[in-house]
Amino acid sequence: MDYVELHRDSLVVDTHCDTLKCLLPVFTRPRDSMWGDRSKVGMGVRSSMGHVDVPRLLEGGVTCQVFAVSGERSRTPSHSLRTALEMIDRFFRECDANRGAVVPVTTHGEIVQAKRAGKVAAMLSIEGADVLEGSVDVLRVFHRLGVRMVGLVHSIRNELADGVADRRTGGGLSELGAQAVGELNRLGMIVDVSHLNDEGFWDVLELSRDPVIASHSNARAVCDHPRNMTDDMIRALAEKGGVMGMNFAPGFVHPSRATLGGVVDHIDYIVGLVGPGHVGLGSDFDGIPSTPVGLEDVTRIPAITEELVRRGYGEDDVRKILGGNHLRLIRAVCG
Ligand SMILES: [Zn+2]
């Protein structure tokens, strides 16, 4: 099977994009508009702005795209919960407007069905539980709304945890953060450790009954950045059955020159450390200021398959990395 056929036949999962931010006027003020204000255009129209829309997802052969809801208080000081609800509203309106091509999903089975129907499966995540405004009870409502991955923090400290921006204080999870992990486990929502500081990561690993995800984080040994994970963290995540999605943010890929090959270098490194069962894709498209050479937008995802095949990965391993690992985790936690 050549790489084009292998890519088309695989279940491809990307566990992080910030496209919903490009669709909401509150986020598309001048300082946030580097990906283009698409609030009037919508996701169904092929755009030259940003990295992700429905036509480009289909061209890139993405089976399941996870859309982040992000209402961090640093950007929306007084109404992060309302902003999150508006983003979820926009998500469902986009799914409705594009119902011939996109279907909202919450389970492994629904993702497989979407693939059979030739549609893009769209899943909701929360990036930064600031949106709970201090209430773990609100998680149950987000679960009913279809959210299936939750990051406790978006780099800046909140009621639940310290983020990577709080390395000086080095705090772990608060009591509320620990309660949130318990409630996420009970509800069947995946805990996302991306953006947590290292102390918070270790607390989550100890507290969570279920395997966890690092939806968009790379290997710190390959590129030394606090948003990437140390070897010990990667081993512990893998031992628990977790998966990490490779982030395309140039600064997380390579200190000076980020390329498609550089992203695959992270995959190689993680496979060398813990085998092929714990790595996947988590592009961060529409949330990163620039892209690696060769990965300019979501239509370029097949180039990763080409590069994996070129480096000698077998078909089974390529399928795992493209989405099989993420799907195993989704099945284990969400059903
Ligand atoms: Zn992020």
Side-chain angles (χ1 to χ4, degrees), residues 29-325:
R29 295 163 303 195
R31 69 175 274 265
D32 297 320
S33 66
M34 65 179 101
W35 307 282
D37 178 354
R38 283 172 270 158
S39 57
K40 292 191 182 68
V41 182
M43 217 157 65
V45 177
R46 191 187 183 96
S47 174
S48 56
M49 290 187 278
H51 312 131
V52 176
D53 50 50
V54 175
R56 285 187 284 175
L57 281 166
L58 289 168
E59 187 182 323
V62 175
T63 311
C64 177
Q65 178 68 58
V66 179
F67 291 89
V69 168
S70 157
E72 75 267 40
R73 286 187 192 170
S74 55
R75 281 175 188 245
T76 52
S78 58
H79 27 253
S80 53
L81 177 56
R82 188 181 90 191
T83 305
L85 293 175
E86 285 171 353
M87 290 177 96
I88 292 175
D89 169 61
R90 183 68 191 231
F91 170 84
F92 282 112
R93 283 192 292 130
E94 290 290 346
C95 289
D96 283 348
N98 299 285
R99 71 166 65 80
V102 181
V103 59
V105 297
T106 57
T107 65
H108 169 270
E110 289 169 350
I111 297 168
V112 173
Q113 257 176 16
K115 175 76 176 176
R116 284 202 198 107
K119 293 184 183 182
V120 177
M123 186 177 265
L124 282 170
S125 69
I126 283 175
E127 179 171 42
D130 308 54
V131 301
L132 304 181
E133 295 189 2
S135 166
V136 169
D137 298 347
V138 173
L139 279 175
R140 292 193 285 277
V141 181
F142 280 119
H143 179 266
R144 283 184 190 263
L145 292 175
V147 174
R148 287 297 181 272
M149 284 178 201
V150 177
L152 299 185
V153 66
H154 195 180
S155 290
I156 296 166
R157 166 191 287 182
N158 60 23
E159 295 95 332
L160 291 86
D162 279 5
V164 290
D166 297 296
R167 270 166 300 144
R168 192 187 64 78
T169 52
L173 263 54
S174 66
E175 278 308 315
L176 199 71
Q179 275 175 36
V181 170
E183 190 59 10
L184 289 167
N185 284 170
R186 196 186 67 78
L187 287 165
M189 297 165 94
I190 300 170
V191 185
D192 185 354
V193 297
S194 286
H195 286 283
L196 268 173
N197 62 353
D198 293 6
E199 291 79 2
F201 168 87
W202 290 111
D203 279 352
V204 168
L205 269 256
E206 195 189 312
L207 289 164
S208 178
R209 187 193 64 204
D210 289 334
V212 302
I213 195 169
S215 67
H216 56 309
S217 298
N218 300 344
R220 213 178 286 176
V222 178
C223 182
D224 187 11
H225 190 289
R227 277 280 286 102
N228 290 340
M229 289 163 65
T230 66
D231 289 2
D232 282 349
M233 290 161 81
I234 294 169
R235 284 195 204 96
L237 182 93
E239 239 162 67
K240 221 179 162 72
V243 183
M244 52 197 292
M246 295 301 96
N247 193 319
F248 301 170
F252 304 175
V253 173
H254 192 276
S256 56
R257 193 181 134 73
T259 60
L260 158 72
V263 172
V264 180
D265 289 345
H266 283 268
I267 295 176
D268 276 348
Y269 183 81
I270 294 160
V271 170
L273 204 60
V274 294
H278 305 280
V279 63
L281 307 178
S283 68
D284 214 352
F285 273 143
D286 281 331
I288 52 180
S290 61
T291 55
V293 176
L295 280 172
E296 285 74 15
D297 69 8
V298 69
T299 65
R300 295 287 302 150
I301 295 284
I304 290 178
T305 308
E306 182 180 20
E307 181 63 12
L308 289 170
V309 170
R310 199 187 66 79
R311 292 194 189 190
Y313 283 85
E315 260 183 47
D316 283 355
D317 288 350
V318 173
R319 285 179 199 274
K320 282 183 186 173
I321 293 163
L322 289 177
N325 292 329

